[in-house]
Amino acid sequence: MKNVGISSEFCFSPLWDLQLTWYSERPELTPCFQKSILVWLPCIFLWLLAPVEILRTRSCKGPSLPWTLISTSRLMSTFGLVILTLIDLSLKIQRQRSDQLVPGVELCSSSTKLVTFVLVLCFILRDQRKGRKSSGVLFVFWVLLLLCGAITYVSFFYQVFKEEYEVVKQTDYIIFMAYYPLVVISMVLAAVNDSVPVEINKILEAQAGGFFQQATFLSRVFFIWIEWLVLEGYRKIITLMDLPELAREIRSQVAWSVLNNFWIKELKKANILGKLHIPEAREEKDNSGKVKKKASLTLALVKGFWAPALKGFIFDLINCILRLTLPLILNLLIDYVSSDEPVWRGFLYAVLLFVIAFFGSLSFSQFAFYVCTAAIQVKAALIAVIYQKALHMSSGSRRKYTVGELVNYMAVDAEKVFNLAIYITLIWGIPLRIIITMILLWKYVGPACLAGVATFFVIFPLSSFLSQKARGVQEKQMVLKDSRLKFMNEILSGIKVLKLYAWETPFMKHILHIRSQEMELIKKFSYLNAGIGFLWNCSPFLLALFTFLTYVLVDERNILDPSTAFVSLTLLNMLRFSLILLPELISNIIQTRVSLERMNKYLLSEELDTDCVGDLVKYACKNNKIKLTGSVNVQGSLAYVPQQAWIQNTTVRQNIIMKSAFNSKQYQRLLDACALRTDLTILTGGDFAEIGEKGVNLSGGQKQRISLARAVYQNADVYLMDDPLSAVDSNVARHIFKYVIGPAGLLKDKTCVLVTHNLSVLPEVDYLIVMKDGLVEDEGTYSDLMSRKGLFAELILQNLNKVQDESSDEPQEKRQSYEYLPEVLHESEVLQRSKSFLHDREALSLLLSIDSEELNDEEWEVISKQRGAMLIQEEKMEVGKVKASVYFSYLKNMTYPIAFCSILGVVMFQVCEAGANLWLSAWSNDKPLPDGTQNIAVRNWRLTVYGLLGAAQGISVLFSGVLLALGTVKASRGLHDKMIESTMRAPMSFFDTTPIGRILNRCGKDIDVVDTQIPISFKGFTDYLFALIGIFAVISMTNPFFIVALIPIGILYYFIQKLYLAISRQLKRLESVTRSPVYNNFSETISGVCSIRAYQAQKYFIKISEDRVDINNNCYFMSMITNRWLAVRLDCLSSIIVLSASLFAVLGRGSVSPGIVGLSLSYALNVTEALTLLIRKSAELETRIVSVERIDEYDYLPEEPKWEIKEKKPKQPWPAEGAVQFQNYSTRYREGLNLVLCDINLSIKAEEKVGIVGRTGAGKSSMTLALFRIIEPAGGSIILDGVDISQIGLHDLRSILTIIPQDPVLFTGTLRMNLDPSNTYTDEEVWTSLELAHLKPFVCSLADGIRFVVAEGGDNLSVGQRQLLCLARALLRKTKVLVLDEATAAVDLETDKLIQNTIKTEFSECTVITIAHRLHTILDYDRVIVMEHGQIAEEGNPTILLSCPTSLFYSMAKDANLV
């Protein structure tokens, strides 16, 4: 068939001739087609995209690029094409003028090429001037020109080879032979990135927003630009410093600005912009009752980030079309094997399969890149708006949310939106796939395809029912998990109390009881998952079975030939994939909608009135009290010192200077004034020592002084101080007042509002305001108030026996004895850190938020040499490949027989699946009867065996799933229980150096991974491993020559996956490690929002948050990019496998049946998915098995001595008297540290009342810890009633001692449980202890009595009631030795009096040892021990010591205004 008409007149030949192309043994395109379409196609492409190219060039503002060899060659080759085309056009015009017949198409094509090459020349010059190193549009243009020209090039050669000289014009031949190599050269030059000087390159990368933006088109398509990082990850351990900078459009600040612009428009549309502090503006209805327009976060997100999602959709659409074309080409190739079509068609089909599979994979990778980029932008923007909203919330709004709920918006809700954003294009992509697949299926099997779909809709409800049941079980399990973690958090917070009371066993039993209930639910959940897995693993076979069953039964003339069987099988698998994703997508949309609504409500909550100056003061007050009426006016800047110091998890220095620039002179003066100098000499690392979360490694006094130092360093005009002196010793308080707050202090020229209970400093203040019940009771100067003899004077007289102004007559040397003594942290917390500090400035800056530019080289040298600068041990991050022992540990906990049988079930499933497909191949080769109908007997036999093989698949997968569920539950239980026991047996030093969050992370996140995620990864890995083995086995069985191609492909696969796994595991670990600081920083910000507002440091903390989010997102982005790098290369290998299988099928025509060809090709088409998923599941399993590694670490924690030693149990009753002796006793907190107690010799008689005092750090608390064996002796011994306490079990010792600690620690549970967790005592005894502790009236007033449930931390009880409950514990135990660790420091005077009186009466026959900071509480004791430098400096009766002015006790009493 020839197309004449216009083309004959224009070209002098037809445009298209099927006889010449399709029906020829040597296909060839007509001269007209070659001279028109093949020339115009690349030119049309370029002219269509020219506007896009111009716009992209205009947006570039980089410096001009220098002319290098590559850029010059690029210009010259294009210029050469312009010259050649101009010559060609001139010759054609000359021939036409010479009355030679020249087809119009030649003149048109030459003119088109000439204009197009001139345009390319302009683009090259403009790109060079604008700083663009490469152009994707130009590269594609050259590729199209190369491919289209290749056909003409081959045609010219063929004509010359066949000596058809009359057809070929000599000049045309010469010009084209010069033209085509220049096209090839131009294409190669367009693919190469031009090298430019480093300085210019940095400018270009900054201008482009990331170095990958400057990569060539080819580099971006194949992700070559990330290859250096993959190779680097294989050679060494990757750190944050090795990662390239995050692309500008993905950075948090940029993403936030995009979302914020559209969010502001939404607020304007709802008429609430700037009005969120007005209640009426936030109401959903107006005055007339109509519903107001509501600002929509969803719309703001869509408007802000639609562009990359649209790009992703375009590539997804391309991928969808190409993937759905594969079954059609497969059909052609199967038909080719059984036909006599020309050989070249077979090769064409094979190449088409390769090209479609290859370009489909490339388009999918680009789709994944763009949607992941959009998702990261969305997540970064949401985190930023959530963070900034927390800084603007009013107190009323803030009280509606707990810290956990606010963090959940960032950690959970933003993550759900992120996860949906990744699959956003599937919302319209999945319906499109389903529609096209159904149309194609109808083409091959007609209405029978509905049987397969119906089968799915039978399986789906069953699966949904099981999924719903599993979700319900999981929700119940999550409740128990939360309960377990909450209780574990309380145990860890009060671990010292548990150890002091020997309560580890009952609390551990309670945890394990909750865990046992949880494990029953996990077991049920695992069995339900096994059922779901059974249904979905059987679904492909069932869909095929019922489709083919219906097809062959509805009509005897329906023959199941290879094309019908294997094309339908491929389409059914595609349909199943889409139908599986659809319900999951709907579920994600529903969940994400809820999350968006939650965040929308949060963003619309009440905010501060930014125009009201008083709000700044109002919110810089404790508990964010609401101003109802009146006004507060402030002139000048503000600084705030809260009563509970807010400490950041960074260095001491950074905590002090915060947002301000470092001023060494000012900083050094401040250290002395706030009595921090000696603290820094004790802390390893000095002021670069890291402070743990919430200041865990500092004493209360240290935290308060750092908080005060921060305020003073800011050099504000007005200072608000909420009782900063309460947390420090009296001598330190006087030092701080004198050198900081007082009339001669650093703040002497500032306005200071000081709230204080320290009455000794009041004579030196300018003005006093006395408050009572929220009202101003009195005000005036100190002398005025004292002369009035009102409430103030009465308060002074009641609480101070002797108020003297000692500053004038106190000897200088006595004052110096305490002026620079810091209140150092508890000795047990001064532990050296095993980690050496990072040497890289930027790494350290990221870790501790230090501004590296503010430090000189000497300071950095000090930091780099310090070891142990951070007290809190850094969480261990394993590097390199996970050890095989970790996998074996997990399998051991599963038990090896169960693990082996589970894997055996997977193998049997793959064997049965391969057998069913081989049987289907043989069935499709069965010949019909002569009349064209089926052989019924053979058909039934085939159906029966096919069905039995399917049933065997189902049995195998169910067997494997149930055994896997049983084994993984067993492993979860074993790993958790061993970890809990090991943790509870760890010494206190472990808890002192390990943040609670880190331990909870193992109990929570890691255990959750072991419970729910590792079983899924383990099953996925084994499934895809044996599936891949099955694929290669089937293809090799059907075509043994395939093994030849498989060997090199296998070697390449090995090296690619080895490279990928090395970088993948490191990036996953970095992403995991950098995620926690984002949420920790948010939690820290919420806790310190009052201080942040007061210091007006919002921008500073927003920058910190943005930096941490960017670091985390960069790790994820690089992980995603390396995943795409892997996918592209695996897809290339898979496409080569498809090509090899196709070529072997083409070459084996006549010797290979169509059924075998269909089978091998359908398996080959699954290689891409199997290869990719195997490596992904392998990396996933390796990443998740790290949780087992982390849990295993806790199995080998250092242990305390045994809790009980049966052969050394003291004979009861013991102790009968309560006499305590320290004999040459010495101790230290850890090997390698200095002694904290040195050669102590002390004898405490039975029933003696002894007070132990001393300056901070003197060793008095160490005496208590030594008695309870919290620390072990380095020498000497402690004898209790004749028994060496180091020789008996810890519980045997601690159970006969009682302590009332300074901080009353209570646990969630009943009052009775808090008093007697072991149920050792009767209810009557409990009531008696409550009565003696003066709590019986209060408990009787409660509806539940002693069954009253105490809230977390005892929040539903007052501080006094909590301390009285601790007294009740002591009364219930009533041991012969009672230790008081400043038990009344935090209670009011009335409670203090009750406790002291009860101790005197109820413990009169007991030995009482009191660690005292308040000296007046021990003035009536039998003896006082004064400690100094870890030794007994003085001892005696307090009355006698006070009568001696030279005694240490006298000087301490004088400091406390007692003498």
Side-chain angles (χ1 to χ4, degrees):
M1 185 184 75
K2 294 183 179 181
N3 184 351
V4 288
I6 296 175
S7 61
S8 296
E9 298 172 2
F10 188 58
C11 298
F12 301 169
S13 68
L15 178 67
W16 186 255
D17 188 346
L18 282 176
Q19 297 298 326
L20 188 63
T21 54
W22 192 249
Y23 297 108
S24 171
E25 288 294 326
R26 191 191 71 81
E28 189 175 351
L29 294 171
T30 65
C32 182
F33 192 92
Q34 294 182 40
K35 293 174 182 178
S36 58
I37 303 300
L38 294 184
V39 174
W40 297 345
L41 182 63
C43 298
I44 291 171
F45 168 81
L46 183 63
W47 282 99
L48 286 175
L49 291 181
V52 176
E53 186 72 357
I54 292 169
L55 287 173
R56 292 196 67 178
T57 309
R58 284 183 64 185
S59 64
C60 295
K61 299 177 182 178
S64 297
L65 298 177
W67 288 98
T68 62
L69 178 63
I70 291 176
S71 58
T72 305
S73 301
R74 198 180 289 161
L75 181 69
M76 294 308 296
S77 64
T78 308
F79 186 73
L81 288 169
V82 171
I83 298 300
L84 281 174
T85 311
L86 185 61
I87 293 171
D88 181 52
L89 180 60
S90 301
L91 290 173
K92 286 181 171 61
I93 294 172
Q94 185 180 1
R95 283 206 301 267
Q96 190 180 44
R97 289 178 177 176
S98 303
D99 297 329
Q100 296 182 27
L101 291 176
V102 178
V105 68
E106 292 187 8
L107 292 171
C108 181
S109 296
S110 296
S111 301
T112 304
K113 283 195 296 182
L114 178 61
V115 176
T116 303
F117 288 140
V118 170
L119 178 65
V120 172
L121 207 59
C122 293
F123 279 150
I124 291 172
L125 291 170
R126 187 176 174 85
D127 286 348
Q128 195 74 9
R129 188 167 59 85
K130 287 285 190 175
R132 285 188 74 197
K133 294 194 288 184
S134 65
S135 167
V137 172
L138 289 182
F139 174 78
V140 175
F141 165 74
W142 289 121
V143 169
L144 289 174
L145 204 62
L146 177 77
L147 294 175
C148 293
I151 297 171
T152 306
Y153 195 74
V154 171
S155 179
F156 267 124
F157 264 108
Y158 182 77
Q159 289 168 0
V160 171
F161 180 75
K162 290 290 186 180
E163 298 183 354
E164 299 174 356
Y165 299 114
E166 70 281 357
V167 181
V168 182
K169 292 185 175 64
Q170 188 175 7
T171 54
D172 290 349
Y173 178 77
I174 294 171
I175 289 174
F176 195 84
M177 288 301 106
Y179 161 86
Y180 192 71
L182 280 177
V183 171
V184 175
I185 292 169
S186 296
M187 190 275 292
V188 172
L189 290 172
V192 178
N193 211 344
D194 200 1
S195 58
V196 296
V198 176
E199 298 77 14
I200 295 178
N201 205 47
K202 286 183 178 179
I203 296 172
L204 293 175
E205 287 178 10
Q207 182 266 331
F211 83 97
F212 81 89
Q213 301 280 21
Q214 285 288 306
T216 62
F217 177 80
L218 206 60
S219 178
R220 296 184 68 174
V221 168
F222 290 94
F223 298 94
I224 300 169
W225 60 270
I226 199 66
E227 204 153 77
W228 69 269
L229 183 64
V230 176
L231 295 173
E232 196 77 4
Y234 181 73
R235 286 193 291 261
K236 68 167 195 172
I237 303 301
I238 292 293
T239 66
L240 291 174
M241 294 300 99
D242 296 312
L243 302 184
E245 286 189 9
L246 189 63
R248 186 176 59 220
E249 67 266 23
I250 312 176
R251 290 175 194 165
S252 183
Q253 199 278 330
V254 175
W256 169 81
S257 64
V258 171
L259 178 58
N260 190 55
N261 288 337
F262 288 102
W263 179 242
I264 288 172
K265 290 178 182 178
E266 288 294 309
L267 293 176
K268 284 181 180 177
K269 184 179 70 176
N271 196 29
I272 53 175
L273 181 63
K275 300 179 182 178
L276 286 175
H277 62 284
I278 304 173
E280 293 78 11
R282 299 193 310 275
E283 291 180 357
E284 295 183 359
K285 296 182 179 180
D286 58 21
N287 295 331
S288 62
K290 293 182 180 178
V291 177
K292 295 180 181 178
K293 284 185 178 180
K294 190 176 180 181
S296 172
L297 176 62
T298 306
L299 280 177
L301 286 169
V302 171
K303 291 175 183 177
F305 305 106
W306 63 269
L310 178 62
K311 292 178 185 176
F313 169 70
I314 293 170
F315 282 109
D316 188 36
L317 183 63
I318 295 169
N319 173 61
C320 174
I321 294 170
L322 291 174
R323 291 291 180 189
L324 289 170
T325 309
L326 282 174
L328 303 179
I329 306 301
L330 177 63
N331 180 27
L332 292 173
L333 191 54
I334 293 172
D335 289 344
Y336 166 82
V337 174
S338 58
S339 70
D340 57 354
E341 293 182 57
V343 175
W344 67 267
R345 289 192 194 175
F347 288 108
L348 175 65
Y349 299 148
V351 171
L352 278 176
L353 271 179
F354 167 77
V355 169
I356 290 171
F358 179 67
F359 281 98
S361 300
L362 290 183
S363 61
F364 181 81
S365 288
Q366 292 302 309
F367 151 73
F369 172 78
Y370 282 111
V371 294
C372 283
T373 300
I376 293 172
Q377 287 176 304
V378 167
K379 181 181 176 182
L382 285 173
I383 289 176
V385 295
I386 290 168
Y387 185 90
Q388 296 195 30
K389 178 67 178 183
L391 293 174
H392 295 99
M393 288 176 70
S394 68
S395 59
S397 292
R398 176 63 186 83
R399 281 196 296 273
K400 295 177 183 177
Y401 303 97
T402 64
V403 175
E405 285 173 331
L406 292 177
V407 173
N408 273 345
Y409 285 131
M410 188 179 285
V412 178
D413 293 308
E415 194 71 26
K416 284 183 179 177
V417 178
F418 168 76
N419 290 332
L420 180 65
I422 293 176
Y423 301 104
I424 191 70
T425 60
L426 294 181
I427 293 175
W428 50 80
I430 286 179
L432 179 65
R433 283 181 173 86
I434 292 173
I435 292 169
I436 297 176
T437 307
M438 286 298 297
I439 292 171
L440 293 174
L441 269 173
W442 192 280
K443 176 180 179 296
Y444 286 98
V445 293
C449 69
L450 298 177
V453 176
T455 305
F456 174 83
F457 283 108
V458 171
I459 294 172
F460 177 66
L462 288 173
S463 173
S464 297
F465 173 75
L466 293 178
S467 297
Q468 192 173 3
K469 284 283 186 184
R471 193 176 295 113
V473 170
Q474 195 172 29
E475 286 173 358
K476 292 178 183 177
Q477 182 252 328
M478 291 300 290
V479 172
L480 285 173
K481 176 191 169 185
D482 290 343
S483 174
R484 172 172 59 83
L485 289 178
K486 182 180 177 183
F487 196 71
M488 192 68 195
N489 179 45
E490 293 191 64
I491 285 176
L492 296 173
S493 299
I495 189 68
K496 190 173 182 181
V497 169
L498 295 190
K499 290 191 173 295
L500 291 171
Y501 280 90
W503 281 352
E504 296 101 323
T505 301
F507 277 78
M508 189 164 62
K509 284 181 179 177
H510 186 67
I511 282 287
L512 295 180
H513 174 68
I514 298 174
R515 177 64 177 172
S516 178
Q517 294 175 306
E518 192 182 351
M519 288 310 302
E520 289 301 314
L521 292 174
I522 290 173
K523 185 190 294 183
K524 189 175 180 181
F525 176 78
S526 300
Y527 287 148
L528 287 169
N529 263 352
I532 295 168
F534 164 74
L535 288 174
W536 287 120
N537 277 286
C538 291
S539 65
F541 175 80
L542 291 175
L543 261 67
L545 174 65
F546 286 105
T547 299
F548 296 150
L549 179 66
T550 306
Y551 179 71
V552 298
L553 290 181
V554 293
D555 190 342
E556 291 184 2
R557 294 187 177 276
N558 285 345
I559 306 299
L560 192 66
D561 56 30
S563 294
T564 303
F566 290 103
V567 173
S568 299
L569 199 61
T570 304
L571 288 169
L572 282 169
N573 281 332
M574 289 181 177
L575 180 65
R576 183 179 68 93
F577 176 73
S578 298
L579 291 173
I580 287 173
L581 282 180
L582 186 61
E584 185 180 339
L585 181 64
I586 294 170
S587 175
N588 284 341
I589 290 171
I590 294 170
Q591 292 180 34
T592 305
R593 182 183 175 187
V594 172
S595 292
L596 283 167
E597 287 175 352
R598 279 163 44 86
M599 288 187 287
N600 209 110
K601 183 180 177 182
Y602 163 70
L603 293 175
L604 292 175
S605 59
E606 184 184 4
E607 290 185 357
L608 291 168
D609 183 359
T610 54
D611 295 328
C612 179
V613 178
D615 281 330
L616 186 59
V617 182
K618 175 178 70 179
Y619 284 91
C621 296
K622 185 180 176 184
N623 297 327
N624 285 356
K625 300 298 183 186
I626 299 176
K627 174 174 68 65
L628 298 176
T629 60
S631 63
V632 181
N633 297 312
V634 177
Q635 292 183 351
S637 58
L638 192 71
Y640 173 51
V641 184
Q643 185 175 19
Q644 292 185 335
W646 176 61
I647 301 295
Q648 297 173 258
N649 179 204
T650 182
T651 63
V652 174
R653 177 183 288 193
Q654 196 62 33
N655 261 282
I656 294 173
I657 67 173
M658 202 165 66
K659 64 172 183 175
S660 303
F662 181 69
N663 183 313
S664 181
K665 185 177 180 181
Q666 179 186 352
Y667 180 75
Q668 297 303 327
R669 283 184 62 203
L670 193 61
L671 294 181
D672 293 329
C674 294
L676 284 167
R677 179 74 64 186
T678 309
D679 292 271
L680 299 184
T681 63
I682 293 174
L683 288 171
T684 308
D687 61 351
F688 290 109
E690 182 203 19
I691 299 177
E693 55 180 337
K694 298 180 182 179
V696 68
N697 54 327
L698 299 177
S699 69
Q702 283 177 314
K703 286 188 279 189
Q704 192 61 270
R705 283 181 283 122
I706 289 173
S707 178
L708 177 64
R710 176 195 300 142
V712 177
Y713 190 85
Q714 306 310 311
N715 195 27
D717 299 311
V718 179
Y719 287 82
L720 302 179
M721 301 184 181
D722 191 356
D723 203 10
L725 305 178
S726 61
V728 297
D729 286 346
S730 57
N731 57 326
V732 179
R734 290 189 61 79
H735 173 87
I736 289 173
F737 187 82
K738 179 178 180 181
Y739 291 99
V740 179
I741 305 171
L746 294 177
L747 303 180
K748 61 184 178 181
D749 298 323
K750 307 289 185 180
T751 300
C752 297
V753 179
L754 173 66
V755 177
T756 183
H757 297 288
N758 190 327
L759 305 182
S760 65
V761 304
L762 298 183
E764 299 183 56
V765 303
D766 299 321
Y767 199 77
L768 284 163
I769 298 175
V770 182
M771 302 292 295
K772 183 178 181 181
D773 298 329
L775 299 173
V776 176
E777 181 74 13
D778 205 351
E779 59 181 305
T781 63
Y782 182 83
S783 57
D784 289 343
L785 294 179
M786 289 298 292
S787 64
R788 292 174 195 165
K789 298 184 179 179
L791 176 65
F792 177 75
E794 183 182 343
L795 194 65
I796 294 293
L797 293 173
Q798 283 180 355
N799 293 282
L800 293 178
N801 295 325
K802 297 178 181 179
V803 179
Q804 299 176 351
D805 185 2
E806 57 188 84
S807 59
S808 60
D809 59 359
E810 184 175 330
Q812 180 71 17
E813 63 271 18
K814 289 289 183 71
R815 293 205 302 275
Q816 289 177 346
S817 67
Y818 61 77
E819 279 180 359
Y820 296 100
L821 267 177
E823 180 177 330
V824 296
L825 64 158
H826 196 286
E827 294 97 333
S828 66
E829 294 170 337
V830 186
L831 300 170
Q832 287 190 341
R833 182 168 172 75
S834 60
K835 170 189 170 296
S836 62
F837 227 59
L838 293 171
H839 291 261
D840 191 286
R841 291 192 179 196
E842 299 303 324
L844 189 59
S845 302
L846 289 171
L847 187 63
L848 300 178
S849 302
I850 296 173
D851 189 347
S852 60
E853 294 180 358
E854 293 181 353
L855 306 179
N856 56 42
D857 293 336
E858 289 76 12
E859 289 173 316
W860 277 104
E861 187 176 351
V862 169
I863 298 173
S864 64
K865 289 180 180 177
Q866 285 289 351
R867 295 187 179 272
M870 291 182 283
L871 174 71
I872 298 302
Q873 297 289 334
E874 183 177 315
E875 187 167 10
K876 185 177 180 182
M877 187 187 80
E878 295 293 334
V879 293
K881 191 174 182 179
V882 177
K883 301 179 185 69
S885 59
V886 178
Y887 293 95
F888 283 111
S889 171
Y890 185 72
L891 294 176
K892 183 180 178 182
N893 279 282
M894 281 181 69
T895 70
Y896 291 122
I898 290 177
F900 174 76
C901 291
S902 174
I903 294 171
L904 182 62
V906 176
V907 174
M908 292 305 300
F909 171 78
Q910 294 298 335
V911 169
C912 293
E913 184 181 45
N917 288 325
L918 285 167
W919 187 260
L920 180 64
S921 174
W923 181 5
S924 67
N925 286 326
D926 288 342
K927 300 294 182 184
L929 296 174
D931 60 356
T933 60
Q934 305 168 22
N935 186 325
I936 304 300
V938 173
R939 181 198 70 189
N940 292 342
W941 165 242
R942 294 292 191 188
L943 273 172
T944 302
V945 174
Y946 190 62
L948 289 174
L949 286 169
Q953 289 180 54
I955 293 170
S956 300
V957 76
L958 187 62
F959 172 75
S960 172
V962 170
L963 283 178
L964 180 67
L966 185 64
T968 52
V969 167
K970 202 174 179 66
S972 294
R973 188 190 299 273
L975 287 166
H976 174 271
D977 292 357
K978 285 189 290 184
M979 181 185 68
I980 291 297
E981 184 172 359
S982 179
T983 303
M984 296 296 280
R985 288 182 177 274
M988 270 307 300
S989 59
F990 166 75
F991 299 100
D992 288 334
T993 57
T994 307
I996 291 173
R998 191 176 301 165
I999 303 173
L1000 285 176
N1001 203 20
R1002 280 172 169 78
C1003 296
K1005 178 67 184 296
D1006 289 319
I1007 287 295
D1008 184 58
V1009 169
V1010 171
D1011 287 345
T1012 59
Q1013 296 181 31
I1014 287 182
I1016 295 171
S1017 298
F1018 183 79
K1019 177 172 173 51
F1021 174 73
T1022 53
D1023 283 351
Y1024 290 115
L1025 174 64
F1026 290 106
L1028 192 62
I1029 293 172
I1031 287 171
F1032 288 145
V1034 168
I1035 297 176
S1036 300
M1037 285 169 58
T1038 55
N1039 197 328
F1041 293 105
F1042 177 74
I1043 298 173
V1044 177
L1046 185 60
I1047 293 172
I1049 291 172
I1051 294 171
L1052 282 173
Y1053 168 78
Y1054 171 77
F1055 284 111
I1056 289 171
Q1057 65 89 25
K1058 197 169 183 181
L1059 287 172
Y1060 170 73
L1061 287 177
I1063 187 66
S1064 173
R1065 74 169 71 96
Q1066 294 178 59
L1067 290 173
K1068 288 287 186 185
R1069 284 168 176 165
L1070 284 174
E1071 194 268 335
S1072 177
V1073 167
T1074 56
R1075 191 188 311 122
S1076 295
V1078 174
Y1079 306 137
N1080 290 345
N1081 178 61
F1082 185 41
S1083 177
E1084 195 175 74
T1085 299
I1086 295 168
S1087 302
V1089 70
C1090 297
S1091 298
I1092 293 170
R1093 288 169 179 165
Y1095 292 119
Q1096 299 183 39
Q1098 291 94 328
K1099 289 183 179 178
Y1100 171 77
F1101 283 93
I1102 287 170
K1103 182 66 169 60
I1104 290 175
S1105 177
E1106 288 174 348
D1107 289 344
R1108 294 189 178 188
V1109 170
D1110 286 345
I1111 291 168
N1112 180 246
N1113 282 345
N1114 199 20
C1115 294
Y1116 178 84
F1117 182 69
M1118 289 301 131
S1119 179
M1120 181 270 291
I1121 293 297
T1122 53
N1123 186 276
R1124 289 299 95 210
W1125 176 90
L1126 167 75
V1128 167
R1129 278 141 190 82
L1130 289 185
D1131 290 341
C1132 288
L1133 291 182
S1134 303
S1135 300
I1136 293 170
I1137 290 172
V1138 171
L1139 179 64
S1140 302
S1142 304
L1143 289 175
F1144 287 134
V1146 171
L1147 295 172
R1149 183 170 65 166
S1151 61
V1152 182
S1153 68
I1156 292 298
V1157 169
L1159 177 63
S1160 64
L1161 287 177
S1162 63
Y1163 264 73
L1165 290 173
N1166 289 328
V1167 167
T1168 299
E1169 182 183 9
L1171 275 175
T1172 304
L1173 288 175
L1174 176 61
I1175 291 188
R1176 192 172 297 164
K1177 288 296 178 182
S1178 174
E1180 188 180 271
L1181 179 61
E1182 187 174 30
T1183 300
R1184 290 175 175 175
I1185 207 74
V1186 170
S1187 291
V1188 175
E1189 188 176 39
R1190 285 159 54 84
I1191 292 168
D1192 272 345
E1193 285 175 14
Y1194 273 41
D1195 288 348
Y1196 302 100
L1197 294 176
E1199 288 189 3
E1200 286 185 310
K1202 291 183 179 179
W1203 286 345
E1204 293 182 1
I1205 305 174
K1206 292 182 179 179
E1207 59 273 16
K1208 292 187 178 181
K1209 273 185 172 291
K1211 295 180 180 179
Q1212 299 301 322
W1214 178 84
E1217 298 177 352
V1220 180
Q1221 289 180 298
F1222 287 78
Q1223 297 180 349
N1224 299 320
Y1225 186 85
S1226 300
T1227 190
R1228 57 171 56 91
Y1229 286 101
R1230 182 171 293 187
E1231 287 297 324
L1233 297 181
N1234 295 330
L1235 294 173
V1236 290
L1237 292 178
C1238 185
D1239 290 331
I1240 299 295
N1241 285 286
L1242 174 66
S1243 179
I1244 300 174
K1245 300 174 185 176
E1247 301 182 13
E1248 189 176 11
K1249 310 300 182 283
V1250 175
I1252 302 177
V1253 299
R1255 306 272 184 204
T1256 302
K1260 53 187 183 294
S1261 294
S1262 303
M1263 298 276 283
T1264 303
L1265 299 177
L1267 183 59
F1268 281 84
R1269 285 182 62 192
I1270 298 296
I1271 52 178
E1272 293 294 322
S1277 60
I1278 300 176
I1279 308 298
L1280 177 58
D1281 276 9
V1283 175
D1284 184 347
I1285 65 171
S1286 64
Q1287 301 301 310
I1288 63 175
L1290 288 180
H1291 281 189
D1292 291 333
L1293 168 66
R1294 293 170 183 170
S1295 62
I1296 55 86
L1297 300 173
T1298 299
I1299 185 170
I1300 303 178
Q1302 179 177 359
D1303 297 320
V1305 177
L1306 299 182
F1307 303 92
T1308 301
T1310 64
L1311 280 173
R1312 197 193 193 294
M1313 187 277 288
N1314 272 279
L1315 295 173
D1316 179 27
S1318 304
N1319 283 321
T1320 307
Y1321 304 97
T1322 64
D1323 283 0
E1324 289 74 14
E1325 290 173 312
V1326 172
W1327 277 108
T1328 301
S1329 68
L1330 290 170
E1331 183 177 9
L1332 293 173
H1334 308 282
L1335 278 173
K1336 187 173 182 181
F1338 166 71
V1339 179
C1340 287
S1341 69
L1342 301 173
D1344 297 323
I1346 58 174
R1347 310 292 182 222
F1348 170 75
V1349 177
V1350 177
E1352 184 178 0
D1355 285 345
N1356 53 348
L1357 298 173
S1358 69
V1359 176
Q1361 288 169 335
R1362 289 180 233 164
Q1363 195 61 276
L1364 289 174
L1365 275 174
C1366 292
L1367 175 61
R1369 286 175 183 164
L1371 290 164
L1372 190 61
R1373 289 164 68 101
K1374 201 66 179 290
T1375 58
K1376 292 299 292 183
V1377 179
L1378 172 67
V1379 177
L1380 302 175
D1381 187 2
E1382 194 56 36
T1384 60
V1387 299
D1388 56 64
L1389 296 175
E1390 186 179 350
T1391 306
D1392 186 1
K1393 187 176 179 181
L1394 288 174
I1395 293 174
Q1396 296 296 345
N1397 290 336
T1398 302
I1399 289 171
K1400 288 176 184 177
T1401 55
E1402 298 302 323
F1403 293 95
S1404 58
E1405 298 180 358
C1406 300
T1407 303
V1408 178
I1409 302 172
T1410 298
I1411 308 300
H1413 295 287
R1414 294 181 178 181
L1415 302 186
H1416 68 85
T1417 60
I1418 59 166
L1419 293 180
D1420 58 348
Y1421 273 33
D1422 300 323
R1423 188 159 39 135
V1424 168
I1425 310 294
V1426 182
M1427 299 293 296
E1428 192 171 60
H1429 305 307
Q1431 295 180 320
I1432 297 175
E1434 189 174 85
E1435 63 174 305
N1437 184 276
T1439 305
I1440 296 173
L1441 292 176
L1442 287 176
S1443 65
C1444 179
T1446 59
S1447 70
L1448 290 173
F1449 186 66
Y1450 178 88
S1451 66
M1452 294 175 68
K1454 187 174 180 62
D1455 291 341
N1457 296 315
L1458 295 177
V1459 294

